[in-house]
Amino acid sequence: MKTGHSDQAGMLSGPSPLPSPAAALRRCLLGLDGLSRYAICTSMAIMVLLVSAQVFCRYVLSESIDWADEMSRLAFVWAVFLAIPHGLKQGVHVGIDVLINRLPARLQEGLARLMLAVSGVLMVVVCYQAVLVAIDGWGELMPTVPVSASVFYVPVMLSCGHALLHLLFMAWQGTRVWADDEEEAA
């Protein structure tokens, strides 16, 4: 039989496991992060291959690939925007914390969670505007390939959705929710 003392020691030994809805969302986010990393690597590979092929064609063959600049730029945009949620998750975004570092830890965490929620609202606004702009310009084609210029807005929308999930998850579970993953990776 357990005594009150051992129960109390168990509570003080460390953080409790995430509740099941949080654990399920965490697993979904980890899966989404994996897919996103794959898409980022693919975009980067496309960009590097296109730029390398363009350089080879220009300087060795004295020819040019008409669409290489545009498509490598598109791959770059995809890679950059798909990487933004990963930066948010790890907390490597730009921030000014001179004032907040002087506040008590509990207030720092509360303000951080509030800012995560506000940032989530901003992601909704940006995504909504990206959808409107993409719909408005869907008929406009890129100069060198018969593809809508609005495909540049698709990674913005995906990034906003992915970032929103991370921001809301951290606002709900706390800013250190991914700390175990950071320590395992190090």
Side-chain angles (χ1 to χ4, degrees), residues 72-138:
S72 62
R73 189 177 313 116
L74 180 61
F76 175 76
V77 167
W78 273 78
V80 168
F81 276 97
L82 292 179
I84 289 171
H86 296 278
L88 288 173
K89 173 185 173 183
Q90 301 302 324
V92 294
H93 49 80
V94 175
I96 300 171
D97 56 5
V98 174
L99 175 62
I100 198 163
N101 285 341
R102 296 174 190 256
L103 299 174
R106 193 173 208 162
L107 187 54
Q108 285 181 23
E109 179 69 13
L111 283 172
R113 286 182 178 208
L114 175 64
M115 290 299 103
L116 289 166
V118 169
S119 296
V121 172
L122 179 62
M123 288 298 110
V124 171
V125 171
V126 171
C127 186
Y128 176 74
Q129 290 300 314
V131 168
L132 292 180
V133 172
I135 290 170
D136 188 47
W138 196 258

Side-chain angles (χ1 to χ4, degrees), residues 32-53:
L32 185 59
D33 289 348
L35 289 173
S36 176
R37 272 194 285 290
Y38 178 78
I40 292 165
C41 290
T42 301
S43 296
M44 293 295 289
I46 289 169
M47 180 182 64
V48 167
L49 290 172
L50 282 174
V51 170
S52 299

